[in-house]
Amino acid sequence: MHSLAPSPPASATQGSTLTDPLRWLALRQGRLVTMEGVWGAGKTTAARLINTRLQEAGFTTAVIHYGGEPGTIGRLSHFLETAPLRSRTGLGGYQSAHHSTVDVLLRLCREAHHHLTCFGPALATNDVVLVDHGIYSKIAWALTVLTETDPQADPAQTLTRIRALAAPWFSTPDVPVFLDTPWPLARERAISRGHGGGNPAAIERLLFLPRYVEAYRQVLADRVSPVLRVRVGLRDADDVADEITAELLGVLRAAPPATDRTMAAQPHMSVPADGRN
């Protein structure tokens, strides 16, 4: 992940140190915009194009993307990517049922670290922070693998437990942008680009993606505020970015950012999906 931890204002460090990352959540000034969608939906491309457009409109912005990390989190990331507990070949899945729980907890820990040490400082010093790999994508992934491992579990209860774990540490997106791309098309794009971890052409992906899309819809429907849903399909990337930017400019020039800093304060509300994907 890019280093996005600039020196805070003098007032921000009084009675606190940079070893107290929760302090950053109280300093949040900017809007958090996340690019949500399955692998191959075009999240990174959209974030890059929108970032340029917002800067041209006079806003200070930052794009956050995963990358090299030092120390313990770097070693954890290396382990998760090079020796994943979930098989990325053949039919996929876990060798033991409890491996899915271990995998979810490790990945949520890594994500919490990113929120506290990267998202927080960036939000304290920019008008807009764009996360090109989503936030709800992580929760949807966790819901998918846990319900896959235990088909008898109630997905709603499983989601409640995942959210309870993430709530104290995860930032709440001001505007989650869902790039609505049918998963077969997104998969073909991921294959052509070779992105997404492991082999995006694997049979495991073909079996996993429909369940992931369903879990994603459940997670997004659990939000209290609306999701900006953009139909992508075969549209040009610039056209998609123009639509999203126009919507964001309306939000940025309207009311100030929400005051709650994490997912903890969000009540639940069902938002109907149209059944696509």
Side-chain angles (χ1 to χ4, degrees):
M1 179 178 293
H2 296 315
S3 176
L4 289 173
S7 299
S11 59
T13 57
Q14 292 177 0
S16 178
T17 69
L18 293 181
T19 60
D20 179 17
L22 286 172
R23 177 72 172 170
W24 287 113
L25 296 179
L27 299 174
R28 178 169 172 177
Q29 300 297 321
R31 299 296 187 94
L32 184 61
V33 178
T34 60
M35 298 292 112
E36 305 286 345
V38 299
W39 305 294
K43 299 186 294 294
T44 298
T45 299
R48 175 175 52 81
L49 294 173
I50 294 164
N51 182 64
T52 300
R53 286 159 170 74
L54 291 178
Q55 289 180 346
E56 291 172 348
F59 293 94
T60 58
T61 64
V63 176
I64 294 179
H65 179 76
Y66 287 150
E69 297 165 318
T72 301
I73 293 298
R75 292 192 293 273
L76 173 59
S77 291
H78 180 75
F79 166 75
L80 291 173
E81 299 309 318
T82 60
L85 292 173
R86 180 184 176 84
S87 174
R88 293 174 174 171
T89 59
L91 299 180
Y94 296 93
Q95 289 187 355
S96 300
H98 71 278
H99 285 178
S100 61
T101 303
V102 174
D103 204 2
V104 164
L105 291 174
L106 289 175
R107 292 177 186 275
L108 290 181
C109 286
R110 179 177 64 170
E111 186 68 11
H113 170 84
H114 293 148
H115 283 244
L116 296 177
T117 64
C118 186
F119 295 11
L123 285 165
T125 55
N126 289 279
D127 297 321
V128 184
V129 172
L130 296 152
V131 179
D132 74 356
H133 51 266
I135 287 178
Y136 295 117
S137 59
K138 310 303 184 301
I139 297 176
W141 184 88
L143 179 61
T144 306
V145 299
L146 290 176
T147 53
E148 175 190 66
T149 305
D150 185 6
Q152 303 305 315
D154 180 359
Q157 291 184 359
T158 302
L159 177 56
T160 297
R161 291 168 181 163
I162 296 169
R163 288 178 61 90
L165 285 172
W169 315 106
F170 280 31
S171 301
T172 301
D174 293 289
V175 184
V177 179
F178 181 60
L179 299 177
D180 191 353
T181 304
W183 71 261
L185 175 59
R187 180 173 179 266
E188 290 301 315
R189 289 178 173 174
I191 291 171
S192 67
R193 299 169 185 169
H195 290 169
N199 179 5
I203 296 175
E204 183 267 347
R205 285 294 179 87
L206 189 61
L207 300 174
F208 183 83
L209 278 169
R211 293 191 291 265
Y212 182 47
V213 169
E214 182 59 30
Y216 221 138
R217 292 190 182 281
Q218 185 176 352
V219 170
L220 293 179
D222 204 41
R223 270 185 54 92
V224 63
S225 54
V227 174
L228 175 54
R229 184 181 185 133
V230 179
R231 297 187 185 279
V232 179
L234 298 175
R235 294 170 61 190
D236 181 77
D238 282 306
D239 182 38
V240 172
D242 286 340
E243 178 182 342
I244 298 172
T245 303
E247 294 285 348
L248 291 178
L249 288 175
V251 172
L252 294 169
R253 291 167 176 164
T259 54
D260 70 76
R261 304 307 184 204
T262 67
M263 292 184 178
Q266 288 195 78
H268 297 169
M269 183 181 79
S270 294
V271 180
D274 67 2
R276 284 193 66 210
N277 281 8

